[in-house]
Amino acid sequence: MPGVEMAWTVNWPAMQVRAAGSGPLALAVVGLCGADDQQRQRSLAAVRAKDWRALTRWPGSYLAIARSGEALAVIGDLAGQHPVYWRSDGAGTWWSTSATALAALEGAPVDPTALAAHIALAQPDVLGQWSLFRSVSRVPTGHLLLITPEGSGAVRYEPAEYAPVDLREAAPTVRAALAEAVGARCDGRPVSADMAGLDSTTLACLAAQRGAVTAVTFADARLRDDDLAYAVRTAATVPGLAHHTVPGSPETVYYAGLEDLAALPVTDAPNAYVVTASIKRAVLATVAGHQSAGVHLTGAAGDAVLSAPSSYLADLLRERQHRRAWQHAQAHARLRNTSALTLLRRARPAARTDLTGALRTAAAELRRPPRPWVPQVKRPVAWTPLLATADWMSPDVRGRLASALDVAAELADGPARLAAWTGRQDLARVGADTTGLREIALAEHGIEVAAPFLDNEVIRACLAVPADQRGTPGRYKPLLGEAFAHAGVLPPFVLARSTKGGFNALAYAGLRDHASALRHLLGPSSRLAAAGLITETPVATMLQRAAAGQPTAQGALHLAVAAEVWLRQLETAPARWEVNSRVATA
């Protein structure tokens, strides 16, 4: 049986491909892994015992490949930055972290039903092992690929949800995990970091404890937030932070640059960063102007692990914690200028079902006529909420997606709590998108983007805290505040901050300024339209609303644009991979 030595890598630096052991007992890690040579060597005992989860406990973001006798385990990370795909034929099993590479082996086409699920639900695991390509399977979140003489398949190694840990008890673990995650990136290369909200500022300050940090704040005047004021004050207080402002420009808006798709990196799946590429490029260009290529820390996924949406009210209702549900609903209602009863009514349907029931409900809804559009925040809370994109699809595609969801319902292997399911899906979505930003940064500036909040141990430490404690409306990100109170890392005024910037102004500016490009992209020549994944009239109506500055299904448009760009790029992307002396080229 082939061992780990038969695996090959593309564009990974030698320092991020490490191995221990050989033959029937071996381990390889690919990516940024905080384990040193001795730790990897000692881990061979875990490989021998087939304790696969033990190989996922080091800081960093990496893929692990382990062979124990006749069993080969391929283990991605919990956030999907290192996804795993496979296909089997008479000759055996091929696996890869690239679905397009496996699809190219036999010219497998895009699966329109899987792509429909991607843009209609935006939950990576909603169809389980379906990938975006026919005949290519994917390993769902929290699973590994196990290859044995008997066959290949995805096996769960991570609990669907964690045993609850009180916020105060978890705080030291969160602080230690995050400090290790940042420390793993401070490996002698120049370090830069976003410094805007509470999450990215925490990473910048942690890195500054280990050396000089180039901190950057995107400060377009149209945002009208206080990110820059806090960043300037933080840099003046914390030694080691050299702060630089990234000013906005007419082109630093959403949807800029879509006229020239060749200037965007080809990613393995539709990627959200194609919509915001001009903003990210402005930040990276500023970093590159002040230091040589190194590692850039981003606060991506901080919201997902440190807080929780108010949908956790459904879990409180399900568990008959009515008093706590009422108290939290009242507090959330005050923040949203609505009533507690309204929030509880929205949560009640989700409290009365589970993931299996939710998938069947979504399937039934797809078999009915499309709904009139209303903002998602006004719809009932759901485990698998259908976005506006679902209403733009042809009846045939809606029917095929409904059938796929019925199949998924029969195989559903999800947690008991809604918050646990949505939290994992949010992380998987952010992790997949972050790979796109990494490709932009590496291709254009040689900068490696790192998202420490997506490290396995950070995710585990944070998500073990119940959602109603992470998302309690009385304090802003109480888990982070508890973890770093009196730790000497963050200035007190940063921990006391209760504001958060947003990009809505730049989203609407982009929708207005680039309306013509969007109409062309999603118009008669649209690849999505040709497949029935969108229809012309509702999309045109939504674009008209957007250009006029009216409330718009921004998330749905974002997904549709990213998918359209991806489909067009696939038409000109390399269709063949060749391996020569264990080096791959495309």
Side-chain angles (χ1 to χ4, degrees):
M1 180 178 179
V4 300
E5 69 278 357
M6 296 299 292
W8 45 264
T9 62
V10 181
N11 294 334
W12 283 99
M15 63 178 292
Q16 294 191 13
V17 183
R18 301 293 178 86
S22 62
L25 185 65
L27 168 71
V29 290
V30 181
L32 201 152
C33 177
D36 59 26
D37 292 343
Q38 289 185 343
Q39 287 173 308
R40 287 192 300 275
Q41 193 66 35
R42 288 197 300 267
S43 73
L44 292 176
V47 175
R48 181 181 289 108
K50 299 179 181 177
D51 181 7
W52 311 124
R53 191 170 187 259
L55 308 177
T56 69
R57 307 303 296 258
W58 297 308
S61 177
Y62 58 90
L63 175 83
I65 311 158
R67 182 178 178 186
S68 180
E70 294 188 313
L72 183 75
V74 186
I75 317 163
D77 63 308
L78 294 177
Q81 292 186 96
H82 301 275
V84 179
Y85 304 93
W86 86 97
R87 61 180 292 271
S88 298
D89 56 26
T93 297
W94 293 78
W95 66 265
S96 175
T97 56
S98 167
T100 53
L102 289 182
L105 288 175
E106 61 175 21
V110 171
D111 187 325
T113 303
L115 187 55
H118 175 88
I119 65 175
L121 294 118
Q123 294 185 333
D125 290 328
V126 75
L127 292 187
Q129 297 183 24
W130 283 30
S131 84
L132 294 178
F133 294 92
R134 289 176 181 164
S135 79
V136 176
S137 299
R138 66 179 288 274
V139 176
T141 302
H143 292 66
L144 56 84
L145 174 62
L146 188 62
I147 304 173
T148 68
E150 289 72 39
S152 306
V155 176
R156 178 176 285 283
Y157 73 89
E158 190 75 3
E161 59 185 301
Y162 302 116
V165 179
D166 183 76
L167 184 145
R168 290 187 176 180
E169 182 182 345
T173 306
V174 170
R175 182 174 65 249
L178 202 53
E180 287 190 343
V182 171
R185 275 82 181 186
C186 299
D187 54 7
R189 293 176 292 171
V191 177
S192 60
D194 293 331
M195 195 160 71
L198 183 55
D199 307 335
S200 59
T201 300
T202 300
L203 302 181
C205 291
L206 279 168
Q209 291 192 318
R210 296 173 177 267
V213 176
T214 299
V216 291
T217 304
F218 180 72
D220 193 300
R222 291 166 289 188
L223 295 178
R224 297 181 181 178
D225 58 29
D226 54 2
D227 282 355
L228 181 58
Y230 272 96
V232 169
R233 190 178 174 190
T234 302
T237 306
V238 178
L241 291 177
H243 182 250
H244 304 279
T245 302
V246 184
S249 73
E251 281 303 296
T252 52
V253 293
Y254 282 37
Y255 307 107
L258 295 179
E259 299 86 351
D260 182 14
L261 300 188
L264 295 169
V266 179
T267 54
D268 201 53
N271 196 279
Y273 283 111
V274 304
V275 172
T276 58
S278 66
I279 298 170
K280 300 303 180 185
R281 280 175 163 148
V283 171
L284 293 168
T286 299
V287 170
H290 290 91
Q291 68 175 40
S292 57
V295 61
H296 181 76
L297 304 177
T298 170
D303 287 343
V305 297
L306 296 172
S307 56
S310 61
S311 56
Y312 71 78
L313 293 172
D315 292 325
L316 295 179
L317 291 176
R318 178 186 299 103
E319 294 163 4
R320 300 187 180 279
Q321 297 187 51
H322 295 114
R323 181 185 296 275
R324 188 167 179 80
W326 175 249
Q327 292 171 341
H328 279 236
Q330 286 181 305
H332 281 293
R334 285 192 292 271
L335 294 174
R336 290 162 176 75
N337 196 28
T338 186
S339 72
L341 284 175
T342 297
L343 292 179
L344 292 174
R345 288 193 190 102
R346 286 187 60 235
R348 191 166 290 118
R352 293 172 173 169
T353 190
D354 57 8
L355 178 59
T356 296
L359 290 167
R360 289 175 176 150
T361 297
E365 188 171 348
L366 284 166
R367 293 188 173 99
R368 295 192 288 268
R371 315 156 297 180
W373 181 74
V374 297
Q376 204 71 25
V377 295
K378 294 186 177 180
R379 296 191 184 280
V381 170
W383 288 70
T384 54
L386 291 169
L387 306 177
T389 28
D391 299 312
W392 302 345
M393 295 174 179
S394 70
D396 177 60
V397 169
R398 285 169 62 90
R400 282 188 276 132
L401 179 54
S403 297
L405 290 176
D406 280 334
V407 172
E410 295 297 322
L411 303 173
D413 174 27
R417 291 182 176 88
L418 167 64
W421 165 256
T422 56
R424 292 288 179 86
Q425 299 314 299
D426 288 347
L427 285 170
R429 185 170 59 249
V430 174
D433 287 338
T434 301
T435 62
L437 176 58
R438 182 178 184 275
E439 291 177 28
I440 293 174
L442 280 173
E444 298 184 2
H445 298 291
I447 295 172
E448 181 175 337
V449 169
F453 285 108
L454 290 172
D455 277 20
N456 289 345
E457 289 297 273
V458 175
I459 290 172
R460 287 167 174 143
C462 292
L463 294 192
V465 178
D468 61 299
Q469 293 185 38
R470 285 182 285 121
T472 181
R475 292 174 60 192
Y476 182 61
K477 295 190 176 173
L479 178 55
L480 194 66
E482 192 72 29
F484 286 94
H486 314 299
V489 175
L490 292 162
F493 64 84
V494 173
L495 286 174
R497 185 179 177 183
S498 60
T499 57
K500 177 179 173 61
F503 283 77
N504 270 354
L506 301 187
Y508 275 103
L511 288 167
R512 181 186 64 249
D513 297 350
H514 299 283
S516 176
L518 290 170
R519 285 194 298 269
H520 173 75
L521 197 68
L522 300 178
S525 64
S526 165
R527 278 56 167 177
L528 291 174
L533 291 161
I534 60 173
T535 48
E536 186 174 352
T537 300
V539 174
T541 300
M542 193 60 67
L543 288 174
Q544 288 173 355
R545 292 179 60 90
Q550 297 176 327
T552 307
Q554 285 190 37
L557 280 175
H558 206 130
L559 286 164
V561 168
E564 180 68 30
V565 168
W566 181 69
L567 287 174
R568 291 180 184 234
Q569 288 180 319
L570 284 181
E571 296 172 356
T572 57
R576 183 177 180 85
W577 292 63
E578 297 180 353
V579 182
N580 181 20
S581 300
R582 293 176 59 198
V583 176
T585 58

